[in-house]
Structure formats: C-alpha cells, structure tokens
Amino acid sequence: MDHKGFIIRPPSEADSILLQVTLGCSHNKCAFCGAYQGKPFRVKDQNQIMADIDWAAAHLPRHRRLFLMDGDAMVLPMRRLEPILTAIRDRLPQVRRIASYASARSLATKTDTELTQLKALGLDIIYMGLESGDNALLQRMNKGVSVAEQLAQASRAKAAGLKLNVTVLLGLAGPEGSTRHAEATGAALSTMDPEQAAALSLMLVPGTPLHDDWQAGRFTQCTAQELLAELRTLVAHTHLSRGLFLCNHGSNHLPFRARFPKEKDAVLQSIDAALAGETELKPEWQRRL
C-alpha cells in the first residue's frame, strides 16, 4: 500500500488495515505534538486510495478492521468520504469495523445528517484527542478548540451512533497545574461518557514548542510519581456509565486496562500500591510514543 511518511495509529488498531486518505494533520499546531513534523497536510489522490483498497482486497482478505489515516481523515468532505467508504464496503466485505481520528473542528464541518450517513456507510469509531479539560491549558498548548467545542462535537457524534474513543495526556500541565488538569479532564470525560477513554503520558519531542519551553526552563516535566498521582486524580474524577479506561500506551509507567465503573476501585487500589512503592513501574528507557 502507498504509505507516505511516519505512520501513526492508536494501539487498538494494531491489526487493522491502515488506509491513508490524507497526509499529516489539518491543524498540526499543538505545542506538544511532533507526530507529523515535516509532513504538510494534503488530501491523497482518490485514484491512489482506490488502488490501495484493491491491494488490501487482494492481500489482506482476513483483516476485519480498517483505520483511516492520517491525523484527521474526517476533514475530508462527504463527496470524498462517501466513495471511499462505499468502496471499502464493496471490495472489503470482510471488514466489520472502520475507525478514524477526528477532531472537533472536522466534526463541525459535518451536518447531523452527514454524521448519520457516515455511520450508515460503515464508519464505527472515532478517536478524539481531548488532551485536557482545562481550557487555559488547551489554549497554552495551541489545541485550537475549547473544551465546550469538544464536548459538543462528541455529543453530536454519539447521537449519530458513532462510538467514541477519547485520549487525554498526563503531565501536560507540569507539576504546578497537575491537579487542576486531572480534575478538569476527569469532569470532561465524565460528560463525554465515551465507550473508551485512554490516558497517555507526555513525552517531549525535539522540535516541538513544548520541548523548546522545557529546554528554556519555561516548562517542568512531571516525575513518574507525579504522573501516577495525576493519574489517580484523573481516575477518581472520571465517571463513565459503561466503558473501557485504558492506560496501556507505551508512554505510561503503570499499564492497565479496566472496565468502568466495575473495575474502577481496583484501578485506584493498583495506583495506590504503585505510589507506595509496592509495584514496579516501567523504567524510563522502555517508554515509547
């Protein structure tokens, strides 16, 4: 398949067909993110996308999941998305789940009817990067959207029948803003009530504005213990009616996968044990983006 540049996908899409329909990220200005450095945003040629679907049909006949790349495939207009999803349905009939990253900005370009159409065409899951429930922090990180905008677009997506996977970023506020960040993020996740929430831990990427701030002494990274304490506060303030809470990304010191609310207390006990030094944490050299 025609994959250009460094490939980014969620951990749960490891066994998916990776269909690249855009290059880079339509925003690509977040202070902490280096995922698409040197990869200007553009829409891929439709003929190439169709050729990749044909290649997948010939070489990946048993794969039942497909992920639309790159950073925000939902920025594509319906006139581009509809034939792509239709071709997946027709040429890859074994695919039972289609997922994509989506931002509040790109979801806002779709009407309620169009979101419902996307669901009918086979789109099942969208991954949204909330990052934080603290508006001031989102502004500092140049996220480009407010918490309220993200909550509103998440609600619209869920109303259309799309499953919502939301990621948040531990350590983003540094030690001084950790508690506020964790509490506000837990509150935002509770309002979103996604089918899946995932916590990642900040790892500074050279060349990003936040890395520059750290080098200049304007930003302080959280220690492993501070990240654990923040994670505990986040979990304590996150109330999901029913969903998975994941902390299994390679960046995290204490990986876990838990069903909320059933296993929430067990997670809090596990974090407490780690904070007390009773559980060995992943060493820094093993952490990965």
Side-chain angles (χ1 to χ4, degrees), residues 210-267:
L210 193 58
H211 185 273
D212 293 344
D213 286 345
W214 170 70
Q215 284 190 317
R218 295 186 296 266
F219 178 78
T220 303
Q221 292 190 78
C222 291
T223 65
Q225 287 294 106
E226 288 168 337
L227 287 171
L228 273 180
E230 185 175 298
L231 176 61
R232 194 197 191 286
T233 301
L234 170 65
V235 169
H237 284 79
T238 299
H239 308 285
L240 305 182
S241 62
R242 182 182 179 185
L244 281 175
F245 193 107
L246 304 180
C247 194
N248 59 352
H249 189 264
S251 62
N252 295 321
H253 293 88
L254 183 69
F256 65 80
R257 173 188 175 100
R259 177 71 62 179
F260 277 29
K262 181 180 179 181
E263 297 174 322
K264 178 177 174 177
D265 288 343
V267 167

Side-chain angles (χ1 to χ4, degrees), residues 188-199:
L189 282 177
S190 300
T191 300
M192 285 181 157
D193 198 23
E195 282 76 13
Q196 180 175 298

Side-chain angles (χ1 to χ4, degrees), residues 85-86 88-89 95-99 116-125 162:
L85 292 171
T86 299
I88 293 170
R89 180 187 60 199
V95 169
R96 295 291 181 263
R97 191 183 88 175
I98 302 173
T116 302
Q117 289 174 340
L118 289 173
K119 170 63 178 176
L121 287 166
L123 183 65
D124 298 293
I125 299 170
L162 297 171

Side-chain angles (χ1 to χ4, degrees), residues 24-28 30 41 70-76 100-110 115 118 123 125-131 143-146 149-157 162 164-165 167 192:
C25 172
S26 58
H27 179 60
N28 202 27
C30 294
F41 177 79
D70 268 341
D72 190 3
M74 289 300 101
V75 77
L76 290 178
S100 172
Y101 287 128
S103 68
R105 293 159 67 102
S106 66
L107 290 173
T109 67
K110 305 292 185 291
L115 290 177
L118 289 173
L123 183 65
I125 299 170
I126 57 171
Y127 293 85
M128 289 186 69
L130 169 65
E131 321 306 356
K143 180 69 176 175
V145 292
S146 68
E149 288 171 315
Q150 296 200 73
L151 296 181
Q153 297 307 320
S155 178
R156 292 182 63 237
L162 297 171
L164 192 62
N165 290 10
T167 57
M192 285 181 157

Side-chain angles (χ1 to χ4, degrees), residues 30 32 104 128-151 166-174 177-190 192 198-200 230 234 238:
C30 294
F32 55 85
M128 289 186 69
L130 169 65
E131 321 306 356
S132 177
D134 182 347
N135 266 318
L137 180 57
L138 290 182
Q139 189 172 10
R140 288 203 304 276
M141 293 298 137
N142 202 22
K143 180 69 176 175
V145 292
S146 68
V147 176
E149 288 171 315
Q150 296 200 73
L151 296 181
V166 179
T167 57
V168 300
L169 192 52
L170 300 170
L172 195 60
S178 178
T179 299
R180 176 177 173 176
H181 167 47
E183 291 179 352
T185 303
L189 282 177
S190 300
M192 285 181 157
L200 287 68
E230 185 175 298
L234 170 65
T238 299

